[in-house]
């Protein structure tokens, strides 16, 4: 297991990141795209070695899970190369001087998004590739032109070390500056780096307590910095009676598969299922859940945390265990489906509304539309909210939508939240405690915006302007000029 990074080495890494910031920021989008594509190629070439390490340390199956996750990781690196080639991410805007401007004579003003500086990324445990060393936060920060200091997760240290070596070597070989990327180990080193004035932004994927503690550090620094934390989410699913009548059995089976996928260790796991009273799906749900075998969890700490959370949930008045499978042995756990009523859910407080990270989910029955809206009104916000309905439900669903938009960053219609594709329109975020920055996303091309800050240039001679703002637009970027695209 990798040891904690020595203080002297951490200092060298932070100094190198700060020294590389100017060079990284000055690199053209095309150059950065070359870095990212080279990194993706190197990771693909090392796939067999990396997947074997990931399987050994996380207990996740090599096929199809880890193979697919590594493919996703290299895909998003290359996709950010397309973002760089497109160029619109810079938000280049030119307002020429205008003596007749209605607000009075307007000076020449030009606005551009620029790299924020060295970024500290806290890797996640549950996605050892896609949300770890070379994951989305790293990819989007590098695309923005920011050096990255990656704090490795203790759940897969050897994989983190080796992935970091492959990534850094590929980046530097492709022309990136020496301090563009480094991996550090040790919880205290993560805190030390977060407090360091050379770090200009940070990102995190993990638990609510851990993320909140780091967020408080980031915002209480003498010079506070943006902290993009993804914390907890219960991801409610609302099912209408019409949908049950049309395809109730299919919904029940798909729900069981979704909340147990990856041993329930997805941040988008549907943790709450709102069903109408008298839904009649009990037997189908019991059968679907009981057929799911026990699965190993990521590590002993997460397995113990799940067991504790499940015990607390099971003890809540009005909550009953509807179905179980597989039992528990070591770090392996079977699936557990619980059920309660709207009255009990509203009366209990926090326990029934909090994320239980693992293969468990809670059914809550509602009497009518008003009661459903009341249930949604007491929920903590999260990453997703799902509706299983029919086209004929449109008028019934419309009054419910404001409650769902309040609690989620992504709404799904007749789908399941445990798939988060990497694309241009994706939104993986939401109000606290889903994230600490509800105006941003950590998945998709818009994730690059987290690591850019705007600068306006007023009255500057053309020769001193950044290339994207120069009059002849040498990079041929999309721009808004005098209010027109």
């Amino acid at each position: 297991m990798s040891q904690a990074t020595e203080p002297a080495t951490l200092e060298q890494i932070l100094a190198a990141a700060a020294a590389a910031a100017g060079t990284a920021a000055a690199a053209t989008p095309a150059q950065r795209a070359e870095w990212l594509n080279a990194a993706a190629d190197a990771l693909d070439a090392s796939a067999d070695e990396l997947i074997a390490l990931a399987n050994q340390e996380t207990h996740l199956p090599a096929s199809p899970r880890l193979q697919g996750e590594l493919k996703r990781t290299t895909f998003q690196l290359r996709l950010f190369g397309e973002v760089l080639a497109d160029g619109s991410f810079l938000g280049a805007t030119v307002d020429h001087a205008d003596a007749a401007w209605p607000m009075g004579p307007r000076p020449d003003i030009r606005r551009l998004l620029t790299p924020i500086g060295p970024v500290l990324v806290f890797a996640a445990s549950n996605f050892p590739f896609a949300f770890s060393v070379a994951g989305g936060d790293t990819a989007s920060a590098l695309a923005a032109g920011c050096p990255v200091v990656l704090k490795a997760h203790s759940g897969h240290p050897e994989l983190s070390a080796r992935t970091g070596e492959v990534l850094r070597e590929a980046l530097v070989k492709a022309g990136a500056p020496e301090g563009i990327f480094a991996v550090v180990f040790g919880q205290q080193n993560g805190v030390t780096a977060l407090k360091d004035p050379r770090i200009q932004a940070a990102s995190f994927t993990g638990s609510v307590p851990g993320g909140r503690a780091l967020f408080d550090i980031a915002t209480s620094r003498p010079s506070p910095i943006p902290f993009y934390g993804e914390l907890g989410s219960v991801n409610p699913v609302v099912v209408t009676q019409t949908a049950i009548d049309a395809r109730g059995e299919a919904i029940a089976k798909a729900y069981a598969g979704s909340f147990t996928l990856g041993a329930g260790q997805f941040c988008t796991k549907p943790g709450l299922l709102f069903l109408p009273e008298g839904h009649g799906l009990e037997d189908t749900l019991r059968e679907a859940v009981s057929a799911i075998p026990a699965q190993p969890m990521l590590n002993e700490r997460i397995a113990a945390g799940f067991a504790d959370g499940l015990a607390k949930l099971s003890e809540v008045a009005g909550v009953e265990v509807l179905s179980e499978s597989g039992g528990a042995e070591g770090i392996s756990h079977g699936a557990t489906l619980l059920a309660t009523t709207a009255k009990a859910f509203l009366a209990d407080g926090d326990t029934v509304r909090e994320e239980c990270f693992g293969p468990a989910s809670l059914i809550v029955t509602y009497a009518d539309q008003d009661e459903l809206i009341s249930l949604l009104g007491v929920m903590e916000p999260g990453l997703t909210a799902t509706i299983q309905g029919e086209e004929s439900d449109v008028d019934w669903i419309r009054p419910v939508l404001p409650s769902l938009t309040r609690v989620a960053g992504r709404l799904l219609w007749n789908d399941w939240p445990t798939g988060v594709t990497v694309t241009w329109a994706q939104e993986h975020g939401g109000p606290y405690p889903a994230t600490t920055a509800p105006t941003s996303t950590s998945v998709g091309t818009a994730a690059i915006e987290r690591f850019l800050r705007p600068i306006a240039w007023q009255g500057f001679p053309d020769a001193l302007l950044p290339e994207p703002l120069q009059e002849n637009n040498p990079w041929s970027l999309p721009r808004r000029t005098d209010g027109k695209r």
Side-chain angles (χ1 to χ4, degrees), residues 332-368:
S332 293
H333 282 271
T336 302
L337 180 60
L338 306 102
T340 191
T341 64
K343 181 179 179 181
F345 185 87
L346 291 168
D348 172 68
D350 294 337
T351 305
V352 293
R353 305 171 198 171
E354 293 176 347
E355 179 182 31
C356 183
F357 192 71
S361 191
L362 176 66
I363 294 171
V364 183
T365 54
Y366 64 90
D368 52 29

Side-chain angles (χ1 to χ4, degrees), residues 251-274:
I251 291 172
K253 291 179 177 179
Y255 160 67
S258 184
F259 88 77
T260 60
L261 184 66
Q265 297 168 114
F266 281 39
C267 53
T268 52
K269 180 199 79 175
L272 287 173
L273 183 70
F274 292 105

